Each structure stands twice: as structure tokens, then as C-alpha cells.
Amino acid sequence: MGLRRIGILGGGQLGRMTIEEARKYPAHFAVLTPDYPSPAADLADEVLIGDLSDPEAVLDLGGRVDVVSYEIEHVRVDALKELEARGVPVIPGAAVLESIQDKGQQKRLWDEAGLAQAPWVDLPDDLASLPAADRAKTLRSRAAKVGGFPVVQKLRRGGYDGRGVRVLYGPSDEPLTGPSFLEAKVDFSKELAVVVVRAPGSEPAAYPCVEMVFDPAANLCDSVRAPADEPPEILQSALRTALRCVEALDRAARDVSPGGAGAVGVFGVELFRTRDGRVLVNEAAPRPHNSGHFTQDACSASQFEQFFRILAGLPPASTEQFRPARMLNLLGAPGASGTPEYEGLAEALAVPGVTIHLYGKREVRPYRKMGHLTAIADTAEEAALKAETARSRLRILGGRGIPQPGLR
């Protein structure tokens, strides 16, 4: 294996953890990021400072590497298409990202593939600017098409970590501004997720289905139970649905871009488990996913190693999980600001079976993801107890400044 030059769009923690895993192999990483220092930039061999929406910056990165990928969805698809036209592989393909960037297009894809999902309906792009009476009339008529209020409004573009989503309880509620759609508010008992690994020349594989628990204050995933506590038929339904989602993305991408890579890579598929026992697809992400962080410590190979292997042209590894795990996100404390200080880190690490992954972010803010921890044990209950014990000992606060490294 020669030195593989890999370009990553984005300088966040997903890129950082991919580079960490890749250091077992010969590889050169170039990262395009608007921010320096940043988690991935700290570990990269080459750092380019630029906006991910700047086509010239994206093309500059592509001209320096053998393959390009992205660790965040908010990048210029037209620039990725141009890279593909120039013969630079983009993984997953640009057409896949184009489908995923537009959540309305995702919804249509799931319908075309015959996948079960929440009923939905498009909204007029100018909804928020309509006179109040007209807006209420429109919302009332569209909500009726998906079963009536309450409904969930989702922006078609730009949403991330709970942003771009609003529950509307009646026609007079203030909607979000921008192109969007309404979705029936699902009566679900759990939010599930499956990380899918899809490599060229290999059968698609998936990690065990997990349960995500959300923090209503932070409006993001708080913890992950792996595997999910569900009967075998639910777990199998979730796996089948996730694999079909990624297959649907691949078919759609190859229809419009036969020369692109299609849906190869690592995908996080989010699902609802309804109270009446159905599994509904919510949405997909074309990259390693927060729900898959447990794989670093509880599986034969992590989602980040799988991601690197695919980018490097290596065969995928096993997705086997060898022990129950509980992953907890580590967030900035309420009121925290400035340079992070990790109060109680040693005490948290003293809990047997706990591993802590810090992202190297230079600034802490309330509820900002600063790292995660994973506890493994013989039972799911024991793993949960260890994880909560460790997190209760650790607080991420703001404090003194630290030296800033020079730009490489």
C-alpha cells in the first residue's frame, strides 16, 4: 500500500477521529476548514483555510489529493461534481450528497423506494411572509393532509443537531422561514439508528441497531444504548430499513451520475420505533454518525476505521460488537465559555471500562459537544451505570487560555 492522499472537507471531530484511526496505516490527510485551530486540523498533515461553500477552495483541495470526502453536509455540491468530472473520486458521490442536503428530496426518495415513513407534505416557500390569515389557512389545510396538528415543520436545507425543526401545535403558531415541509408528529417510543458500511466490491454491512436518547434542553442526542433493547424482529426491521435507505440513495445517484461513486462510505440512518411496533425511516447522513461513536470501544473496528478503509481503497472490517456499551456525549456546562477546562477528568477515567474521547475544541459553550465517553460491560445495565458514574464526575467549564499552535 502506497501513501494515500485523502482530502476531508470540514475540520470537526468526525474528521479528527477518522485521522486518529488512520494513523495505523500510511496516509496523508489534507483538511479544508474555515477555522484554525480545529479538531481535525490539529491532526492533519496539511491544512487549507477556506470556506466550504467556496468552489475554488474545494477545487484547490481536490487538486492536492487522491480522493475527497466530507465530514459535514454543508458543502458545495457543484464543486464536488466538477472534481468528479476532473477524475478526482468523491466519496460518497456528489449526487448522494445532493439528495441528502435537501430533506424534501430525501422524503421523496424514501417514498419511491417504498420505505415506511411519517406522512409529509410540502409547504409554500413564501409561507412565513404570507399575511397571518393566509398563513394560518395554508397551515391548516396542509396539516390536515398529514393527520392534523400537532405537526413537525422541517427546513429542507441547513438543519443540523436539532436546528431547522419546529413543532407546530396549531395554525397560528409561528413557522420557520425558508423552504420546508410538514411531517406528521410521530407517536414514537424510541429513536433508533443504524450505521451502514458500504464499500466497493463488498456486500453492504451494518452495525447493530442502537437506541438514541435525546436531551430536550440541548436538543441533541445525549446518549446511545448499544445494542438497542428491542425484540429481534424490531432490530432486524431496523437493519433492513437502513440498508434499503442506502440502496435507494445509491440507485438515485447512479441514475443521474453513472460515473460517480454512488452511495459508498459510512452512513448514519435515523429511525423511529412507533408505539404500535412499526419502524419508520427519519433521515440519513452520508458520514460517520454520533450514534456510531460506541464502535470505537465496543466493536471489532470503529465506524471511523471503516470510513478510512473505504477512502483508502482497502476492504471493510467486521461490524461485530463484542460487548454491550453506553455512549454519552460530553457537553459544555450551562454558562460555560472560553477555553475548556475538564474538571474531574482523572476521577471519570478511574471508572473501570470507561474510555473518554475529547475533541480538542478550543472554545467551550453551553451544550456544545466537547467529547464523548463510552462504557463497556457484561450487561447493558452495568454499562449504563458506569457511563453515568463517569459523566457525573466530569464537568467541562471555561477557564484560562492555552497556547495556540502555528499554522502548518
Side-chain angles (χ1 to χ4, degrees):
M1 175 183 174
L3 186 70
R4 184 78 161 179
R5 297 174 302 162
I6 297 172
I8 301 290
L9 293 163
Q13 62 261 25
L14 301 180
R16 179 188 183 93
M17 289 184 277
T18 301
I19 296 173
E20 286 175 341
E21 285 281 12
R23 289 311 181 201
K24 298 178 285 188
Y25 307 96
H28 175 98
F29 279 88
V31 168
L32 173 64
T33 173
D35 304 309
Y36 188 88
S38 63
D42 287 347
L43 303 186
D45 302 288
E46 188 176 358
V47 179
L48 285 69
I49 306 301
D51 196 312
L52 303 183
S53 63
D54 178 1
E56 292 305 316
V58 175
L59 294 174
D60 184 17
L61 174 71
R64 299 167 182 256
V65 298
D66 302 312
V67 60
V68 169
S69 191
Y70 38 90
E71 57 116 54
I72 188 168
E73 288 89 317
H74 310 311
V75 301
R76 286 289 292 264
V77 169
D78 56 349
L80 295 181
K81 289 181 177 179
E82 176 60 27
L83 286 178
E84 290 178 334
R86 295 182 183 186
V88 179
V90 176
I91 295 177
V96 172
L97 180 60
E98 189 168 39
S99 292
I100 284 179
Q101 281 183 338
D102 183 341
K103 289 185 170 62
Q105 192 168 331
Q106 272 194 65
K107 301 290 283 185
R108 279 189 288 275
L109 254 180
W110 307 152
D111 279 344
E112 291 167 4
L115 291 160
Q117 64 174 327
W120 69 286
V121 63
D122 270 322
L123 286 172
D125 290 352
D126 62 349
L127 175 72
S129 62
L130 293 175
D134 293 343
R135 186 170 66 234
K137 181 180 178 181
T138 300
L139 281 173
R140 187 180 292 108
S141 66
R142 299 296 171 93
K145 294 182 178 181
V146 298
F149 292 102
V151 292
V152 180
Q153 182 193 11
K154 293 185 177 181
L155 294 181
R156 291 178 58 157
R157 295 182 178 272
Y160 192 72
D161 270 350
R163 294 183 285 273
V165 177
R166 180 171 293 173
V167 178
L168 304 178
Y169 293 93
S172 60
D173 284 1
E174 188 71 24
L176 296 167
T177 300
S180 63
F181 58 87
L182 285 186
E183 183 178 272
K185 190 172 185 297
V186 177
D187 183 22
F188 62 86
S189 59
K190 291 180 182 177
E191 295 192 55
L192 306 176
V194 175
V195 171
V196 172
V197 178
R198 208 165 186 275
S202 300
E203 284 296 313
Y207 287 98
C209 175
V210 303
E211 175 188 347
M212 299 185 294
V213 179
F214 281 76
D215 180 339
N219 198 26
L220 47 75
C221 179
D222 174 72
S223 69
V224 169
R225 175 180 176 140
D229 183 21
E230 289 291 337
E233 59 270 21
I234 294 292
L235 298 177
Q236 287 302 312
S237 176
L239 289 175
R240 286 194 302 270
T241 300
L243 290 167
R244 288 179 61 198
C245 283
V246 181
E247 288 168 7
L249 287 167
D250 187 66
R251 282 195 304 273
R254 294 188 185 280
D255 282 347
V256 299
S257 180
V264 298
V266 174
F267 296 80
V269 181
E270 299 178 14
L271 308 151
F272 295 121
R273 196 271 203 213
T274 66
R275 296 190 190 279
D276 60 2
R278 293 175 297 144
V279 173
L280 307 180
V281 61
N282 181 17
E283 59 188 44
R287 52 168 172 76
H289 194 258
N290 190 214
S291 67
H293 290 353
F294 79 96
T295 62
Q296 291 172 296
D297 304 297
C299 295
S300 299
S302 76
Q303 62 171 345
F304 300 105
E305 173 154 356
Q306 306 279 17
F307 186 39
F308 165 72
R309 286 189 181 210
I310 293 168
L311 296 179
L314 297 171
S318 168
T319 55
E320 178 187 5
Q321 180 178 353
F322 54 81
R323 294 184 81 185
R326 180 64 64 100
M327 189 284 295
L328 303 180
N329 281 319
L330 301 175
L331 310 180
S337 65
T339 301
E341 288 193 347
Y342 301 93
E343 183 181 277
L345 179 60
E347 291 80 0
L349 285 168
V351 179
V354 167
T355 304
I356 293 177
H357 301 264
L358 299 176
Y359 301 156
K361 294 179 179 179
R362 298 303 204 276
E363 181 185 359
V364 61
R365 297 191 294 271
Y367 304 116
R368 188 184 194 193
K369 289 181 184 176
M370 303 298 292
H372 68 270
L373 67 81
T374 303
I376 58 175
D378 292 331
T379 67
E381 292 72 23
E382 185 183 357
L385 178 60
K386 287 182 174 184
E388 292 293 355
T389 298
R391 186 165 64 174
S392 71
R393 299 178 179 182
L394 176 62
R395 295 185 71 209
I396 305 177
L397 309 169
R400 298 184 301 274
I402 59 175
Q404 301 294 307
L407 183 62
R408 294 193 297 280

